[in-house]
Each structure stands twice: as structure tokens, then as C-alpha cells.
Amino acid sequence: MKTLILKDIDDLIIGSLGIVAFISFFVGGVITIQTALNIDNPLIPPSLVGFATRQSVILEFAPTFTSIIIAGKVGSFITSSIGTMRVTEQIDALEVMGINSLNYLIFPKTVALLLYPFVIAIGMFLGILGGMAACVFGGFSSLEDFIIGIQTDFTPFHVTYAFIKTFVFAFVLATIPSFYGYYMKGGALEVGKASTTSFVWTSVVIILLNYLLTQMLLS
Amino acid sequence: MIEVTDLHKSFGDTEILKGITTTFDKGKTNLIIGQSGSGKTVFLKCLLGLFEYEQGSIAYDGKIFSKLSDAQKRDLRAEIGMVFQGSALFDSMTIAQNVMFPLKMFTKQSKSEMEDRVDFVLKRVNLADAHNKMPSEASGGMQKRVAIARAIVNNPKYLFCDEPNSGLDPKTSMVIDNLIQEITDEYQIITVINSHDMNSVMEIGEKIVFLKNGYKEWEGSKDTIFKTDNKSVTDFVYSSNLFKKVRRMYIEEHQ
């Protein structure tokens, strides 16, 4: 089981770092540019760009939108790998051997995804770093103003809120794709369909839970 | 011995198995044959405990499967080896890891003991140099032999094979058939093969159970199948001109 967990950490967590880092850095930059371009009132302090970037990245972009991207990458991987095992009778082979296939296949993925908040923490850091780079190199405001912005009115609970959401989404990312993979029927075409369906439902559940958790934790 | 008594299995309103009673003996290759849709695969999956059945019983050496506790079922399953139609090798593992898998799950052997056993069974199926290959790098015949190696690595008492020759050329099919028969004889296990390969029937069918529309239509052996006048069996087994000629020659020879 330890080997399976380590393999799933490699596949699901380490394997997602590249895409999360890339997207976070550039989307953080875009958030900064969009915010800066839409501020034309001289009464608004230039540090607002940093503030808006921090809030957008920590509250929504890193936990929620990264999770939807990961639903596409990790969710499809989980559904298609378990679905292919179903189609090629590998799950039947486990059952015949007397192994609880549900536990054998899904438990390691659930444990591996407990490390998902670390991916999101890296996404938060790189999102803000990308914003800072875009802000400074694009000439939208100075480095000092951006840093003042990201320190202004910092509420530690917002980070806690983001990580609570991330834990919930990690569970969703492990279970819904596994369900669609494990209980699929048919052949190769159905594996593709199951991957698509699992992505759609994982995204829908993440968006709905995001709304409910925000309502419960922040309002 | 595996004893099947009055086995009934339905999916919804459709009854697939309609009261099958038969036995499978130790040290024999037992074949289940029949047309597509006759209930062979469902029967095999009932024997394996993958499907629950509504009526009847399956007893493994006197132990009735449906009456066993979960722990007893797990113990029994450790004594079962299965060769799936598509081999069902684990894609993410090498051939050696695939064969070692049941040992890791069911025994407390040391790593070197497990490696020795894997070496032994891979040599037994003539795959001594294939340890580090991935299943995707192996041919269909090699995959079947790996599946057989995985099925026998834990010294099973019962070996089940679902269409072990499907997708293989005649020569490789014969190699697989002979291998299964040798292993059955060597380890004195109960082998049940689900097949519609007539070459297998003629070569290794020490006991043959013919299913039709969910009923056991006929049972016998590779010798008695030549003499039977059961029309369903003769229509199925001797559907090709070649087998019709073979049968004619056999009857002429033995008259």
C-alpha cells in the first residue's frame, strides 16, 4: 500500500506541479495587468494592484480555479486509468485474488491527494509572484507599492478558508473520478466518455461546494 | 472436486443459467463449451465468485462458497488462479512484478524467496528472460503465458481460464493448451477452461460440459464427443468441414 501511495503522490501531486506553476504564474500576471489597466482614478492608491492580486489569487484563483484545471488533468487520469483496468478485467483479476479492489485502487489516491493543499500553496505563491513580475516589468506600479498592497489588510483567516476549500476539493478530486472509472461499463469509447463525464461532474461539484463554503465561512 | 448443483443465475428478468449441475475433477482439464450467449462466461464468473447466483450451490472440495464467511472466502480465493481472456496483466507493473503480485498479497515470504518462485514459474512457462519487460512489450502469446505464471505462482488448487486461446495463432494456442494440461497434471489441480476453440476440445478436453441457452445440454470427454449423436453438440463442434472429416475418419477407424 505504501508503494501505491507513493506512486499516486508522484502521478497526482508531483506530476501536477508543472502545470499548476505555469498557469498560476501567468494568470497571476494577467490579474495584475487587468486590475492595473482598469484603475484610472488618481485617488486610488497604486498599492491596490498588489492588494487585488493577493485577494484574487488566495481567495479564488488558487483554490477553486486551479482545482477545476486539476479536475481536467488528475480527474481524467484517475477515471481513465481505473476505467481501463475495468475494461481490461484487471479489476476482476484483483477481485478473484480476494483483494478489495475499491480499497486497493481508491484509498491510495485519496491519501495522495491529501497533499493537494501543498500544490495550492505553491500556486498561491507563484500567482502573486507572477503578478509582481507583471506589475514591475510592465511598469504598472513600483515593487514597493505592490509589496505594500499585498501586505495591506491581510486577514490570515482567508488563507485558512482557502485551505479548508482545498481539502474539500481534494476529496472531490479523488472520489468522483474514481467513482466514474470504477463503475463504468463498456469498452475504450466508454472510458473516454466516463473521463468527460467525470470532469464535468467534478467541476460542477467543486463550483457548488465553493459557493456553499464561501457562504458558510465568509459571510 | 468442484460440485455445481442446480445453479440458477438471472440478470433482471432474463435467466442466463437454468439449473446447471456438474462436477469438475482434480487433475483434469475440464472444458466448458458452447455458442456465444450460451452462458459460459456467466457460469465461469459464478464459479469464481464474481457473480452471486439466486439458486443452487457451488462446493469447492466440500466447502459451499455461498455459506463461507468473508475471511473463508478470502482464504479460498488465495487457492484460485485465473487466466483472463485478455490476460488482465497490470499495465503499471513489469512481468516479474505481475507474477510476484499474488505472493506479495497472500504470503509472508521474504523478497528473495518470492524472486526465486517468480524465476521458477517464469522458467516453467518458457519466459526466463522476460522479467523486466512491461506487459505492453509482450506479444499476445507471451501475455497469456505470463497470466498462466501469475495464476500458478501461489500453488493454486483451482485454475480457471477464460478463452485462453482467443486471439492467438494455432501454434501458440497449442503451446498454451499443452502448458495448461501439463500444469494441471503436474500439480494435480482442478482446471476449468471456458473455450470455443475446437482444437482445444479435441486436444485437452478430459471432461467437456456443453452449454446451450443456459442449460447443460451434454457432458463427456474428447473421446465420447466423437461418438455422440446429440445434434446440438455435433452441430456446434463439427460445424466446419475439417472437423466433419475428422469425425468421419475417427468413426471409420473405430468401427
Side-chain angles (χ1 to χ4, degrees):
Chain A
M1 194 53 84
K2 196 175 81 184
T3 320
L4 286 174
I5 292 171
L6 290 174
K7 187 182 173 302
D8 280 334
I9 288 173
D10 187 35
D11 287 339
L12 308 179
I13 300 294
I14 311 289
S16 303
L17 285 176
I19 186 79
V20 169
F22 178 79
I23 290 173
S24 299
F25 188 83
F26 285 99
V27 172
V30 169
I31 290 170
T32 298
I33 294 168
Q34 296 278 20
T35 310
L37 290 176
N38 284 288
I39 296 172
D40 50 7
N41 189 329
L43 294 175
I44 297 175
S47 62
L48 184 79
V49 179
F51 174 80
T53 303
R54 183 201 73 202
Q55 290 296 87
S56 306
V57 168
I58 289 180
L59 291 174
E60 284 310 316
F61 172 73
T64 310
F65 292 100
T66 305
S67 295
I68 288 173
I69 292 159
I70 293 299
K73 186 191 177 291
V74 167
S76 308
F77 172 77
I78 292 174
T79 306
S80 56
S81 59
I82 297 178
T84 304
M85 287 185 78
R86 170 65 73 196
V87 170
T88 56
E89 296 180 306
Q90 291 175 50
I91 293 179
D92 285 344
L94 289 169
E95 290 289 330
V96 169
M97 288 179 205
I99 293 160
N100 181 339
S101 58
L102 208 59
N103 179 52
Y104 181 83
L105 294 172
I106 297 166
F107 178 71
K109 290 174 176 49
T110 311
V111 173
L113 278 166
L114 290 177
L115 294 177
Y116 181 58
F118 290 104
V119 177
I120 296 305
I122 291 167
M124 285 176 183
F125 172 75
L126 287 172
I128 294 171
L129 190 72
M132 193 160 70
C135 185
V136 175
F137 295 117
F140 298 107
S141 79
S142 66
L143 179 63
E144 290 74 23
D145 282 334
F146 190 89
I147 288 173
I148 289 168
I150 58 177
Q151 292 175 335
T152 303
D153 288 338
F154 177 67
T155 311
F157 181 71
H158 285 173
V159 178
T160 310
Y161 154 78
F163 282 120
I164 290 171
K165 287 206 297 190
T166 307
F167 265 112
V168 174
F169 296 161
F171 185 72
V172 171
L173 285 168
T175 50
I176 293 181
S178 297
F179 172 83
Y180 278 100
Y182 191 85
Y183 290 105
M184 66 144 298
K185 286 189 175 103
L189 183 67
E190 282 73 20
V191 174
K193 283 181 183 168
S195 295
T196 311
T197 314
S198 104
F199 170 67
V200 170
W201 280 107
T202 307
S203 306
V204 167
V205 171
I206 286 173
I207 297 286
L208 288 175
L209 285 174
N210 184 44
Y211 174 77
L212 288 173
L213 288 167
T214 306
Q215 178 75 29
M216 284 194 293
L217 296 170
L218 291 188
S219 68
Chain B
M1 183 198 280
I2 300 174
E3 285 176 271
V4 182
T5 312
D6 194 27
L7 193 73
H8 288 259
K9 168 71 188 165
S10 305
F11 290 106
D13 294 335
T14 315
E15 197 176 11
I16 307 295
L17 301 180
K18 300 163 183 167
I20 292 178
T21 300
T22 189
T23 56
F24 299 114
D25 297 325
K26 194 176 171 184
K28 277 188 180 172
T29 43
N30 302 275
L31 267 77
I32 305 167
I33 62 169
Q35 285 179 325
S36 301
S38 58
K40 298 190 302 288
T41 302
V42 174
F43 184 37
L44 194 73
K45 289 195 172 181
C46 287
L47 288 173
L48 287 163
L50 289 175
F51 285 161
E52 286 180 6
Y53 39 89
E54 291 85 39
Q55 199 183 315
S57 69
I58 299 172
Y60 293 82
D61 291 319
K63 290 176 273 185
I64 297 174
F65 189 79
S66 57
K67 289 184 180 168
L68 298 178
S69 66
D70 285 349
Q72 286 171 320
K73 280 181 185 169
R74 249 195 320 275
D75 291 343
L76 180 65
R77 282 188 163 134
E79 296 177 336
I80 291 175
M82 171 74 192
V83 178
F84 283 87
Q85 189 173 358
S87 300
L89 301 177
F90 302 121
D91 301 326
S92 56
M93 299 179 191
T94 63
I95 282 174
Q97 287 169 337
N98 262 286
V99 177
M100 197 184 280
F101 187 79
L103 297 177
K104 276 187 176 174
M105 287 291 150
F106 294 111
T107 69
K108 288 177 181 166
Q109 292 178 13
S110 68
K111 200 173 176 226
S112 63
E113 284 173 325
M114 285 194 277
E115 282 170 353
D116 289 346
R117 179 70 186 153
V118 169
D119 286 345
F120 175 78
V121 289
L122 281 176
K123 271 184 200 149
R124 183 67 192 79
V125 298
N126 300 320
L127 286 174
D129 301 322
H131 288 61
N132 296 321
K133 280 191 176 173
M134 298 303 285
S136 57
E137 295 167 339
S139 66
M142 277 173 81
Q143 288 186 10
K144 283 278 156 64
R145 281 185 282 159
V146 177
I148 293 170
R150 185 177 69 180
I152 63 167
V153 72
N154 204 17
N155 287 320
K157 284 167 79 175
Y158 315 98
L159 177 65
F160 295 93
C161 308
D162 189 13
E163 308 269 4
N165 297 332
S166 69
L168 299 180
D169 63 82
K171 197 177 171 192
T172 312
S173 294
M174 199 179 280
V175 171
I176 298 292
D177 281 343
N178 292 337
L179 185 62
I180 292 172
Q181 193 170 34
E182 281 166 26
I183 286 166
T184 304
D185 194 41
E186 197 175 320
Y187 299 108
Q188 284 297 298
I189 52 183
I190 299 171
T191 298
V192 181
I193 302 170
N194 191 352
S195 179
H196 46 217
D197 179 2
M198 288 312 120
N199 286 319
S200 300
V201 173
M202 303 303 179
E203 283 289 325
I204 61 168
E206 290 173 286
K207 174 164 185 175
I208 300 164
V209 176
F210 177 74
L211 299 188
K212 189 182 178 190
N213 300 328
Y215 293 101
K216 186 186 79 178
E217 177 80 14
W218 179 86
E219 73 179 18
S221 69
K222 62 182 176 184
D223 300 320
T224 56
I225 205 164
F226 280 112
K227 300 167 197 161
T228 182
D229 51 6
N230 184 308
K231 194 172 180 317
S232 301
V233 178
T234 50
D235 284 353
F236 176 71
V237 177
Y238 306 108
S239 54
S240 77
N241 287 332
L242 176 66
F243 281 112
K244 277 179 190 149
K245 272 184 195 167
V246 172
R247 188 185 186 216
R248 213 165 32 238
M249 284 164 67
Y250 179 90
I251 291 170
E252 283 167 11
E253 231 174 73
H254 289 80
Q255 265 174 353

